[in-house]
Each structure stands twice: as C-alpha cells, then as structure tokens.
Amino acid sequence: MQVVEYRPERHEYAWTFGGVAPTHRITPGTCLKLWTEDAFSGRLTSTTHRASEVLDMTEVNPQTGPFYVEGAEPGDTLALHLARLTPARDWGASSTIPFFGALSVTDRTALLHEPLPERTWIYQLDRDRGVVRFEAQSIDLQLELPCNPMLGTVGVAPPGREVRSSLVPDVFGGNMDTPEMRAGVTCYLQVNVEGALFSVGDGHYRQGEGESCGTAVEGAMDVTLLVELIKGQPAPAWPRIESDTHYVVVGSSRPLEDAWRASQIGMIAWLGELYGLDRLDAYQLLTQAAESPLANVVDTNYSAVTKIAKSLLPDAAAYGGVHRHLREQARTV
Amino acid sequence: MQVVEYRPERHEYAWTFGGVAPTHRITPGTCLKLWTEDAFSGRLTSTTHRASEVLDMTEVNPQTGPFYVEGAEPGDTLALHLARLTPARDWGASSTIPFFGALSVTDRTALLHEPLPERTWIYQLDRDRGVVRFEAQSIDLQLELPCNPMLGTVGVAPPGREVRSSLVPDVFGGNMDTPEMRAGVTCYLQVNVEGALFSVGDGHYRQGEGESCGTAVEGAMDVTLLVELIKGQPAPAWPRIESDTHYVVVGSSRPLEDAWRASQIGMIAWLGELYGLDRLDAYQLLTQAAESPLANVVDTNYSAVTKIAKSLLPDAAAYGGVHRHLREQARTV
Amino acid sequence: MQVVEYRPERHEYAWTFGGVAPTHRITPGTCLKLWTEDAFSGRLTSTTHRASEVLDMTEVNPQTGPFYVEGAEPGDTLALHLARLTPARDWGASSTIPFFGALSVTDRTALLHEPLPERTWIYQLDRDRGVVRFEAQSIDLQLELPCNPMLGTVGVAPPGREVRSSLVPDVFGGNMDTPEMRAGVTCYLQVNVEGALFSVGDGHYRQGEGESCGTAVEGAMDVTLLVELIKGQPAPAWPRIESDTHYVVVGSSRPLEDAWRASQIGMIAWLGELYGLDRLDAYQLLTQAAESPLANVVDTNYSAVTKIAKSLLPDAAAYGGVHRHLREQARTV
Amino acid sequence: MQVVEYRPERHEYAWTFGGVAPTHRITPGTCLKLWTEDAFSGRLTSTTHRASEVLDMTEVNPQTGPFYVEGAEPGDTLALHLARLTPARDWGASSTIPFFGALSVTDRTALLHEPLPERTWIYQLDRDRGVVRFEAQSIDLQLELPCNPMLGTVGVAPPGREVRSSLVPDVFGGNMDTPEMRAGVTCYLQVNVEGALFSVGDGHYRQGEGESCGTAVEGAMDVTLLVELIKGQPAPAWPRIESDTHYVVVGSSRPLEDAWRASQIGMIAWLGELYGLDRLDAYQLLTQAAESPLANVVDTNYSAVTKIAKSLLPDAAAYGGVHRHLREQARTV
C-alpha cells in the first residue's frame, strides 16, 4: 500500500471545496497520514481570548488537501475510510462567536438583538483516561467528558461548477459536523469532478449532537485515511457513512426538516440498493427502525442523520464489501 | 398507595387535551392501572385495510382520561412515572395515510402531488423473544425488531383557555411521539389549569426516531402510572423526562429547528436549576454533551429531544429526588 | 334587513375561537353593527406605558362574538361582508412586547438573548386628512401615514373539537392580520360546527405587510358587517377574501413557505372552481399573475396571501355573485 | 458616456457568479447595451417540448458578463441602473420541470412522490398592446397579461472565495427573481472582490410574486444598463433597489421567514442611514409601512422583499442621489 504523509504549511490550507489546485495526486488504495489544523486555525488558545478579537473570519476551518484521485470521474463513488483519528494537541478549544450558533441571532436568523457575550473554554485532554475536561466559568464545576475524536469536515469538490466555503455542508459533504464521522467508518461521497478533489479538516475531540454553540472541542488532529474508488455503481446523492454497526446517511439543508428528509430519502434509496425493498417498505422500516441524531443546527446548512443498525438487518455487502475490506487494511497501517 | 384501575369504554375516550370532563379525581400518590386503545381506535387490523377506508379521521388517537389531580394548580409541576408499559395485544399496526407523514404531501406541506399509495403493515408480537416482526410486502423479507413499548401521547390541559386535538404536541405535552417516553421514566409537565387534567394514550410497541410515515407500531397498551404533584418549584416551560440514566427535554414546534431550540433552552434552564450553571456555561456543556434524537417530524408540531447522560454530570436530585422515589415505589405495584 | 347592534361589555369579550357560548343567534342576511376593543384590551394608552407592565397577557385580542348563524352546518360556507370599518377612537397604539415580534427572540424562535427594549408609540388619528401620525422617539421625525382600517381577526369555531386562542390564525381564519381584510371585502370561511360561531376583533387603523414588531396601529373599531350563508358548494379549505378587484386566499402555518403554499393551493382550487382550469394550468397562471403580499410573520402561525386581479381574468361570479350582492346591500346600511 | 455593446456568443455565457474571467473591463459611468439569453438557454420553444427532454440542466440560466469595474474594491457599493429592458423575442416560455417549483417535490423538499407532469406554455408577445398571452391547455381560455419586463438575475462575485451557480440568490444578489428588478430602478450591491465582476441575465417578460412553478415568462432581453461605483459609504449587506417611488431590500435564505427577516433588517439599516432613526423606531415604522411582496419561493434560497414608499418618507438622497442622477442619464442613452 502506498503511504503518503502530509502536514500542510499554513499557506497550503484549503478554505473551500472546489476551486483549489490539488496538493497531491494519489491512486485508489493509497493510505494518507495527514495532520489537520483546528477550525480556529490554531488562534484560539486561552480562556482570555475573545473570538472576535483573535480570529480572522476569512481564515477559519482550514482543510488539508485537496487530493486528486487518479481515475475518479463524475458519477463514481469515493470511499474514504477513517482508520485513525488521534488528537494532535493536548487541549481543545470552544467559543461562542458573535452572530453564530444555534441559540444566537445570526445573519440568517436575523433579529434585532445584540450578540451574545463571548466566552472561550479550553478543554485539557487526558490521553490516559481518554477524557477532555469541561471547566465551567460561572461556578466551580469541572466535568470529564469522554474524548470521541471525529472530523467535522470531509468533502469533495461540489457539482455544478460551484466552489463552496469549508464552512458549508451540502451534497458534496463538507462541514457536516456529525459525531458519526469517527475512526472506523467509511464515508461514501459522489464524485462530481475529475479527480474528486477531496479534503478533510475540522477535528473535534468531542461534539454533542447539534453542536449548539457552533464550535465543538476543536483540536488539531492526526488523521490516517484509506482511499478507495468505486466504479460502476449508482453514486449516492447524499453522503453515506458505514460503520461496523450502522448504515448512516447525512442530509444538509434548511429548514432542519428538509435536512432530515434528505437523509431519509437517501436511506430509502440505500435500503433499496442493498435489499431490493421498494420505497414504501423502506419508508415503513425506517419509521420503526431509524435512529435520527442531529449533526449540526448551526452551519450554513443544517445537517441531520438517519442511521439504522446492521443488527436489525440481513447481512449485506454495500459496495461489494469495501468497508470490511478497508477495516481490515486499516489494522495494518 | 391508592390504586385505580380503568379501562375506558369506547364512548369514554378523550379526543382532546382540555375541554373534557375528568373521568376520575385522584390524589397525588395514586397508582393508575390503565388500558389505552391504539391510535387507530382499533380499526386497522389487516394488511388488506386501507387507512382511508377503515379509519374515521375524527376519531383517531383516543386518550384515556383526563384525570383531575386534587390540589394541582397552575404553576405546579405534575410528575407522571411510567411504571410499566405492556402491550395489550399480540400485534400492532402501521399504515401510510393519505396526506400524512414526513415524506408525504400534507395539508401543511401543501404541494400538487397525488397522495402516496396506501399500505398497511401488521406486526406480530413475540412476547417471549421480545420482538415485533416486520414483513415486507414488496419482497420476501421478514425482520425481527426489539419490542420497545412507549407512549406517544402524554399531556395535560393546555394553557390560555385552549383545547387541543390529541394529535398535537406542544408545551402541554400531548402527541410528542418520542421513544424516550418508555417504562421507567418520570415525565414532568407544567400544570396549566386546576386539577392538571392529564391523559395518556397512543401506545407504540416500537418507533423509530422521527416516526417517518407518521404511524409507529401502534398498539393497545396496559399502562401502570404513578402520579405525583410538585409544589413550590418553577414548573418547566417544556415537558421534561427523567430516567435513571438521562435528563431529557422535549420541544415541539415548526420548523424543526425551533422544536429543537426549545428543547435546548429547556435543558439549559434545567441545568441551571440543578447545578447553578449560568446560561453560557450550560450552552457550552450542551454543545459538547447533548444527545439530540428526533421524536416526530410528522405531527401538527414537530418534536425534538435534547438529552444528557447523568453519568457525565455530578449527582443531583431533580425535584427533590422524586424520580428515584417513584422508581422504588414502582417496584411494589 | 335585520340589524343587530352590539357593544360588548368587558366581561363579554371572547378570548378564543370555539369554546364560548354565542352572544347572539342571527339569521343569514343580518346586518351587524359592532364595536370591537383593541388588541391591548384598551390598556395601552401612553408612550410611557411598557407592555410588560400594563398588559394582562391572558386578556389580549378580545373578540366581539361569537355569533350563532341559524342554519349553518359543517361544510357550508360563511360569507362575512365588511361593509364599514370606522376607527372608534382618535388614536391607536403599537408597542414592542418582550419575546414577541418577527425580529425578536420568542418562545418559538427560542434563543439565549435578552428581550428587546420595550417602547410604545401612540398614533393620533386625523379623520379629516385620513392619516395616522408616526412620531419617532429617537429623533425628531413625524410622518403621516394613510389610515387604512382593517380587522386583524375574523374567524369561526375551529374543526376537530379544538378551541384556539384569538391570537392564532389557521384554517378557521382567526388572527390572520392581513391588510386585505378591509372595508368592502367579503370573507369566505368554512363552517366547522353548527352555527359557525364566528367572531371579529383586533382592529388596525393601519398595518404594514408582515406586521413586523407584532402590533399594528391597534385601535377600537366600529364594524358594520353583513352575514350570508352559502349552502351546497364546496367550502374553502383556507379563508378566501373577495374584493371588487381581487380574489384573495390566506394560508397560515410555519415555516412561512408552508403558509404561502397553502394560499397558493387554495387559489388553485378556487381558479378551478371559477373557470374549470386544471391544476397545472392554474399553477402556471399563478406563476405569472399572483401577487403575494405577506400578512403576518409574528403570530403563532404565520399568514401569507395569494391574490389575483380580477382585471386579468374573465368575468365570473364566485358563490353565485354573493360579493356583488352584499356590496350593493352595504350601501344601504 | 462610454457605451459598450455586447451580445455574447453561446460559448461566452457565464454559469456562475465568481469563478469566471471578465468579458470586459469597464469604468464607472459606462453604459452597457447587452443581450441576455433566456433561462432555458433558448432551448424551450414549443408547447410540445418537455423540459426534461430538451433542457441541459448543466446549462440553464446563462449570464451575460461578468464585467470588471475598474476601481471597485471590497466594501464599495456597485450601483447598476436598469435604463431599459426590451424583450428581444416575440415570445416567452414557461414550463414545469421535474423536482422543481414551489408546489413540487424537490431535492430539498424531498418526499416520496413521483414528479409532477411536465407541461410547457408559450406566451406570444403583443408589443403594441404591451401584453403576453396565456393560453390554457386544459380548457379553452386565453388571457392577456401586461408585459412587465424584469431581470431575474443580477449579481456580483460572492464573498468568501465562493463561486455560486447562477441559479442561486444570496447576499451577492444573483437569482433573486423579484419583479422589483425592472426598468427604471437602481440596484445597489456590495462589492466583494476587486472589480466587482457583475453579470446579468434571466429576463422575464412577466412574473408573479413567488414565481410559483419556478419559471416566469422567460425570454431573451435587450438590456441597457448604467454602471456607477460608490466609494466611502457602508456597503449594503443585502441587495438594495431604489426606484422613483420606493426603497426596496431583497433578502434570500431558507426558510422563507429568514429571507424576509434579512430584508427587514436590511431596510432598518437603510432607514437608519437615510434618516438617523434608531433600530426600534425603524422597526416600528416598518411594522406600519412596509410592503412585503414575495420574490421567489422556488430557488436554492428563497427571496423576499421589504419595500417602503418614498411618498411616506421625508425627502432623502440615498448614496448622494445617484439614482436620480442615473435616471436622468438614462433618458439620454
């Protein structure tokens, strides 16, 4: 297996999906060992920091990539297997940001209120115990929360000649901010342009479902990634994720019900592909069996998840069993 | 403990929250052993049935109650502990209904399409194995899904002189359709009128998060319920649920993000009451620790859940520890 | 023509649609000369008043009625012709109210911000010049705005056994807050219960489209109303309004696009009834010919309007020409 | 005045805002005489055409441009005065398109229904009488509708390094589809990149408010445009339009209430700039004086309008009276 290691310099970050020249050309089957900077571009490091003072809002959510996958053509399916996600620092940061967040006035939920107060929280990571530490600022309270590393942002170049900010989630993936994007899963994305041009970033050491204030426990991440290309199958309209235990579809739109509807329709299509269920039967099965944890209710589009446990379903091999194959390969890298 | 057993006759069903005379007057501390009819009023019993033909849409979602709680006054908090939920039949039913369901044109998502086809599924219950059986109709596929009994509808009389259909979820509870409403939990509701006038119904032997097609595995239910009244504490704006493992708040509105926002604001208030966290700290904690499984995306209002694991939090005794107390009592009834 | 004059005492106000005994039983063809109190129940009278201090939020938007119409049955259409709307006072009032308004945090758009500041504006009415006077408080600016009297609230008892607050607009009409509800129009409402039980209130001396802050130039109103009953025609799903120049349908829901979609579907149905256009042709005609002024984006449901100019259409006589008939009658009362 | 005439060849069309090299570099003060192709790229010419058969969905809504304005820098305001809009053909076309339209299932309002039937309407233009002719296909009905030429799409390169499809409306303008964009108005747009890089297209011979089915009376257009650049004033967050009679702001987002809120916040800012009104006074004034006609409820973002009549306001000279100046110049070109 070819292994490519890459830690981008600051001037090499990508800020968009599409519109950027690839940093590498790789072949399917490559293993990438990447470093990703945090969504704050590393600028938020202290509880005394105010986001509006230390952040450059034109340089948030830096991406590592994009990678040009040889042979990838529109209509193919890109499979990205997250072999390992390891926090690259011993702390993560989160902050309220003026006019951002699910419970805040924003440029889209445009009301007449003053912005919420700014506050920054720093989470220390205890690698041995596998926890990050929440430290309240209004009272004397410290809580240990399990460290559950994930990537907020995984995406390819968008369709329709568009270039989208790395802050946006949509059909091309992007800033979906779902805790489902953790080590051990395979993400399937529709290839929209030659080479697919995928990139990753936005490591979270932990995130709640919905990402209420808009920023998770943001942290630089060491990412080990296996890349595969699937030809000759219908590519998914919306991003799919496969884990050992679940099938997952992520929809992104506004209002939130439309994001969720997209994930449901995506799952109905997937169940049809896997088992031959017609749409009404798949609709019924989801009605009784779907899990629907929210991903984010803060980004340019909201993201919602439909997932279903493999334990409830007959055995199947999505995309010819590529997930199982990559899962095994991942043990060797 | 006073025990009241009650199986309503068909003419005794309540179809609304508010606007109905109580069937019983009970004192706090009472144990109720109730029977609830399914949401179809028992009319949908065969896969050959079409909802539009066998249902009377003016008689759906019958409620058992309402119960007048002696001493309950506006501003008090009603605590309903679901001691036991036992399927009262050996089968449940689900069906698509014209102009109803999350992935269907409705009177609210009013488009020009013809209604979706009608199809009815009957789920056989295997009590020994604790499963209900999904039988596909488009292909030869049968799946066993765990039986997870829950109540779709738990509510009190609404505020503001209103009378609401039993199909509606809102601040008074009602048709929230969340799988969180299962045996072993305590539901806290704000009392809006003298006597609280609560009722329950809409048993589901199982439901996915979101209740996609609009009808879960609907089934008659035997319900054992403990009733308490909490005076002198701020009553919750939105319904709260406490289990042994989680604090849960249910918000209901449209669009879906507003339902979820309400549940988040409700949880921020609860965390403030329990621990003294200020709103920004609670907002931050939710950002990293909240679970956000959807309840329903089909009813007059959508319902979304914010929950947080007690294991992540310091010990606390919500409402003076009433949940633990009722949980113990429940073992004796 | 029978004429009934009625000015309710304060204890006679209705606060809901449905759930209230009729104040009068009238026959179709009756002329009502009514007085309606303003939405603040007359309590907001000075720019020094703060809404949160002087209002009783359990007593806002008082209705005059309900009226029981002899012979009205579910499925009939009630026609209410607004013959005259005359301001009953020489001033109107408007105010920001905490947690209310389109550009404010509310219990539904639940964010963490403090409420907006409260401010009250009093508009003096100049009857001779037909204007109300806006007086800015931040700078020295006074503007004369045309006095365009309208009723914010016209409705019947709801279907489905419900009782709804007079603050709510929905299929039964209610608090639609559209400037289209002015003198000279006929409003068509589906009868849901025996007697229809309609009431009116919430006079506005003037209102912008959308009613941004949630309160128009609110003022007591003298209302002259002609009542007709239409049997044997399909009753409209959503409220319709006919003027000399336009056909209008009002939809109410959330999110706002659903309110508008309802109004569009309602108009497509009406064009089908009037001309026999099929749904695609009517859809196309609306695409090019509809006017879509917003009504309110502040109430429990938002209300949106679809209207179409009669001058663009062939002659037709909706409901047998009842509007023209009532318009003529109105000149005599 | 420098005059540039330009009719793009088919290979010169722009399909995005941003991401395209300018076809011309012009100086402020230039008069452009342009030709724009219709949104169907001229492919839909007969009622026998089905959109799904004759359209290439990767080549819809072609733009003429972009134009690089010398001296334009981020933060400046671009003023585009529409001097003349003249239909360039004697007919226009409209069509339902599968999975597109306000009353249709779409990729965003993703439901399980089959697409609506396809139908194409051709409107003959009678230049003498100034009307286009609607011909129903379900019955024998022809209607004359006034020809009101407008541009659906006017925009600059987006901020944040993005490239957006010409189908999208947002802060950069784009596919707003508002009938307010007619001859005689001046459109103000925030400059986001050097040279502004604006383009125009999507002529409509007529459009209803909301553009229900998604396609107006689409037609090629001869466009005479005056270009000015405004330095040293706060650039508008959302597109503004000034006519002889109204100030207009266009907001674009989803859900629809957020589009409208953006337009309201934009107008409150403008009233503050023009008159010094504080935000509460401006909010109040809009409450009583705003007109709120919808623009589109069909595009990637919905667009809503807030407008206010100049006749209700004191005299003012927005941007130093540039509209009046351009209006006069327009008479000479």
Side-chain angles (χ1 to χ4, degrees), chain C residues 94 102 119 121 123 137-139 206 208-209 212-213 256-257 261 264 278 281 284 287-288 290 292 294, chain D residues 94 102 119 121 123 137-138 206 208-209 212-213 256-257 261 264 275 278 281 284 287-288 290 292 294:
Chain C
S94 185
R119 193 181 286 176
W121 294 261
Y123 289 76
Q137 299 185 20
S138 55
I139 56 169
R206 179 181 177 81
E209 293 166 359
S212 315
C213 87
L256 184 56
E257 55 264 40
R261 282 168 170 156
Q264 290 265 307
D278 77 358
D281 272 344
Q284 172 61 211
T287 303
Q288 317 310 348
S292 301
L294 294 177
Chain D
S94 184
R119 193 180 288 176
W121 294 261
Y123 288 76
Q137 299 185 22
S138 56
R206 179 181 177 82
E209 293 166 357
S212 315
C213 87
L256 184 55
E257 55 263 38
R261 281 167 171 156
Q264 291 265 307
Y275 302 108
D278 76 0
D281 272 343
Q284 172 61 212
T287 303
Q288 316 309 348
S292 300
L294 294 177

Side-chain angles (χ1 to χ4, degrees), chain A residues 178-226:
Chain A
T178 168
E180 307 294 331
M181 198 69 83
R182 62 186 191 284
V185 307
T186 305
C187 176
Y188 304 105
L189 295 164
Q190 181 171 48
V191 176
N192 302 303
V193 304
E194 287 202 5
L197 290 173
F198 76 88
S199 55
V200 300
D202 194 20
H204 296 169
Y205 296 176
R206 177 181 178 82
Q207 184 206 304
E209 294 166 358
E211 203 189 13
S212 317
C213 88
T215 58
V217 181
E218 310 283 340
M221 196 77 81
D222 289 309
V223 178
T224 301
L225 197 67
L226 303 182

Side-chain angles (χ1 to χ4, degrees), chain C residues 44-88:
Chain C
L44 200 74
T45 62
S46 157
T47 58
T48 65
H49 282 161
R50 295 291 156 264
S52 63
E53 293 167 5
V54 305
L55 296 187
D56 175 349
M57 292 309 286
T58 69
E59 295 199 345
V60 286
N61 210 17
Q63 299 300 299
T64 298
F67 299 90
Y68 184 103
V69 181
E70 301 285 355
E73 293 169 308
D76 291 347
T77 301
L78 181 70
L80 299 176
H81 182 75
L82 303 187
R84 264 197 305 279
L85 298 179
T86 310

Side-chain angles (χ1 to χ4, degrees), chain A residues 280 283, chain B residues 96 98-100 103-105 114-118, chain D residues 112-114:
Chain A
L280 280 185
Y283 187 28
Chain B
T96 53
F99 300 111
F100 184 58
L103 306 182
S104 168
V105 168
E114 296 299 317
L116 293 177
E118 293 183 64
Chain D
L112 286 172
H113 298 266
E114 296 298 319

Side-chain angles (χ1 to χ4, degrees), chain D residues 24 58 161 239 251 262 325 327:
Chain D
H24 298 75
T58 70
R161 306 179 184 83
H325 174 68
R327 194 86 171 100

Side-chain angles (χ1 to χ4, degrees), chain B residues 108-166:
Chain B
R108 299 289 150 157
T109 306
L111 311 178
L112 285 172
H113 298 266
E114 296 299 317
L116 293 177
E118 293 183 64
R119 193 181 288 176
T120 297
W121 295 261
I122 301 294
Y123 289 75
Q124 298 301 326
L125 168 65
D126 184 329
R127 291 182 191 270
D128 292 338
R129 312 190 52 225
V131 297
V132 290
R133 189 173 305 115
F134 168 71
E135 301 188 18
Q137 298 185 22
S138 56
I139 58 169
D140 180 21
L141 178 70
Q142 303 194 0
L143 299 174
E144 291 188 337
L145 307 175
C147 180
N148 293 325
M150 52 161 279
L151 286 184
T153 309
V154 174
V156 293
R161 305 180 185 85
E162 288 205 316
V163 173
R164 303 306 309 275
S165 159
S166 61

